[in-house]
Amino acid sequence: MRFADYAKIYVTAGKGGDGSAHLRREKYVPKGGPDGGDGGKGGSIKLKGNAQLNTILDLRYKKYIKAKAGENGGSSRSSGKDGESIILNVPLGTVAFDAESRERLGEITEDGQEIIIAEGGKGGLGNWHFKSSVNQTPQYAQEGKPGEERVVELELKLIADVGLVGFPNAGKSTLLSALSHAKPKIADYPFTTLEPNLGVVKFSDYRSFVMADIPGIIEEAHQGKGLGIQFLRHIERNSILLFMVSSQSDFEYEYEALVNELKAYRKDLLDKPRVLAITKMDLKQGFKLDKEFHIDDEIPVIPISSATGHGVDELKEALWEKLQHVKQLDS
């Protein structure tokens, strides 16, 4: 299945049904009076969380979505039937915005959760509501209200415990494939990963966490270079960030460059807990760095080799400890 993390849809909720202006006429009831029923509510358009989905690709092919109108009211104060609402299933992490005003309409974070992105119109009142001492037989009723109509932008922000942050060829896809059953495309050229990949990292004692491989960032990505910022939104939903730099590069410079890119995109991303992995240590003599690299006591620096497994268990435990600390702060 192709991945898609953005869609623009045009939604129109159903119009409310008109109220009835019916006057009761029955044999032996010469003064039956008004008995027009209310119109039904127009159908709404909703998003519903589905934990089995991981893309909003289908919505790219359903650009125009219109719900049914409510039925008109009838006689004997019978209300019209409500219009059927339309429910759009989306992955967890989907955020909806009004494309014109940029109003945030809601966010799907749980399986089965529903939010309304276009409210159906209210049904009109029947004429019996308007009967009074001075008007015993009102011959008018309310019209139904139109449903909301808007252009909605949907953005999918992957929900993962750990997000991988690194330049192309830092070894992110290789690590993800080594730690989980995910099968990202791996090759020795830039931008091998053209879409985010998710994998579940498992421990022998049944612990686990979800890791997301975010397509490679390059310097000035926030200005649209390379793949630009189109995938940086996924980092927003990760609990902690695993920075990855290759031991074959100037890793101190690359780490600072990555930090600056995230800072330029959204400064608060740097508030997330971090771990730094220096990759491809199998290419270093004796798996040793030429120089030690220390950031601060809150950010572990762990040399690893995904190819040989060197340092990988230590990295998993460091990530697990960080996640438990985050959960304690959130509880």
Side-chain angles (χ1 to χ4, degrees):
M1 179 183 291
R2 286 178 56 203
F3 181 84
D5 63 354
Y6 175 84
K8 179 183 284 189
I9 56 177
Y10 302 80
V11 296
T12 304
K15 174 185 176 297
D18 296 335
S20 171
H22 188 268
L23 296 175
R24 182 182 177 194
R25 290 185 176 85
E26 295 181 33
K27 193 175 183 181
Y28 310 120
V29 187
K31 295 182 180 181
D35 69 345
D38 302 339
K41 184 178 182 293
S44 298
I45 299 175
K46 306 176 182 179
L47 301 181
K48 182 176 182 178
N50 185 331
Q52 303 303 311
L53 298 178
N54 59 12
T55 178
I56 51 178
L57 181 63
D58 287 350
L59 293 179
R60 288 190 177 181
Y61 304 107
K62 297 179 182 176
K63 283 192 174 292
Y64 298 93
I65 300 167
K66 186 174 183 178
K68 291 185 177 181
E71 292 183 356
N72 296 335
S75 59
S76 302
R77 297 189 184 183
S78 61
S79 296
K81 186 178 179 181
D82 291 343
E84 185 177 354
S85 292
I86 293 177
I87 297 177
L88 306 173
N89 286 285
V90 295
L92 308 189
T94 301
V95 185
F97 298 92
D98 184 291
E100 184 174 341
S101 68
R102 295 305 296 171
E103 174 193 358
R104 184 187 176 99
L105 304 176
E107 178 176 6
I108 296 293
T109 59
E110 298 178 3
D111 190 42
Q113 175 192 355
E114 292 185 359
I115 60 173
I116 296 174
I117 58 173
E119 184 79 54
K122 187 177 180 181
L125 297 177
N127 64 344
W128 72 271
H129 288 279
F130 305 105
K131 180 180 178 180
S132 67
S133 59
V134 295
N135 187 357
Q136 294 291 314
T137 56
Q139 298 185 33
Y140 55 85
Q142 283 183 336
E143 292 184 354
K145 301 292 185 183
E148 288 185 313
E149 183 176 0
R150 55 163 50 113
V151 181
V152 177
E153 290 183 336
L154 301 176
E155 293 182 359
L156 172 59
K157 301 177 181 180
L158 292 181
I159 299 176
D161 297 306
V162 179
L164 304 184
V165 181
F167 288 121
N169 285 342
K172 302 188 306 300
S173 297
T174 304
L175 178 65
L176 183 66
S177 64
L179 293 181
S180 72
H181 292 295
K183 294 180 172 58
K185 184 178 179 182
I186 300 171
D188 190 22
Y189 54 84
F191 301 123
T192 304
T193 303
L194 298 177
E195 58 189 41
N197 291 292
L198 285 177
V200 178
V201 179
K202 296 181 179 180
F203 294 76
S204 58
D205 56 2
Y206 302 104
R207 292 176 292 161
S208 66
F209 59 81
V210 178
M211 180 180 282
D213 172 18
I214 311 300
I217 303 169
I218 66 170
E219 288 189 84
E220 300 182 353
H222 68 279
Q223 296 179 1
K225 296 206 174 172
L227 297 177
I229 64 171
Q230 59 178 310
F231 295 117
L232 283 176
R233 69 170 68 98
H234 297 297
I235 297 175
E236 299 173 25
R237 298 305 308 271
N238 302 152
S239 298
I240 65 176
L241 302 180
L242 173 57
F243 283 71
M244 298 181 66
V245 294
S246 171
S247 64
Q248 304 302 293
S249 66
D250 183 345
F251 49 81
E252 293 184 48
Y253 173 82
E254 285 202 354
Y255 173 74
E256 291 300 326
L258 289 169
V259 168
N260 289 335
E261 280 306 310
L262 264 61
K263 184 177 181 180
Y265 173 67
R266 258 188 62 173
K267 188 182 298 185
D268 61 339
L269 291 179
L270 298 181
D271 295 335
K272 293 180 180 290
R274 279 175 259 167
V275 175
L276 172 62
I278 301 179
T279 65
K280 304 184 182 180
M281 289 300 296
D282 53 299
L283 301 179
K284 303 296 288 186
Q285 184 70 30
F287 293 88
K288 298 292 185 181
L289 292 172
D290 299 330
K291 56 182 176 179
E292 293 299 321
F293 181 38
H294 178 265
I295 306 169
D296 65 46
D297 294 337
E298 296 297 319
I299 303 176
V301 179
I302 304 174
I304 68 166
S305 167
S306 300
T308 67
H310 174 81
V312 170
D313 287 341
E314 181 185 352
L315 176 62
K316 287 171 61 175
E317 290 296 342
L319 293 171
W320 179 261
E321 288 181 16
K322 284 283 186 184
L323 284 171
Q324 302 320 298
H325 181 65
V326 170
K327 290 176 181 178
Q328 287 176 3
L329 294 177
D330 291 342
S331 62

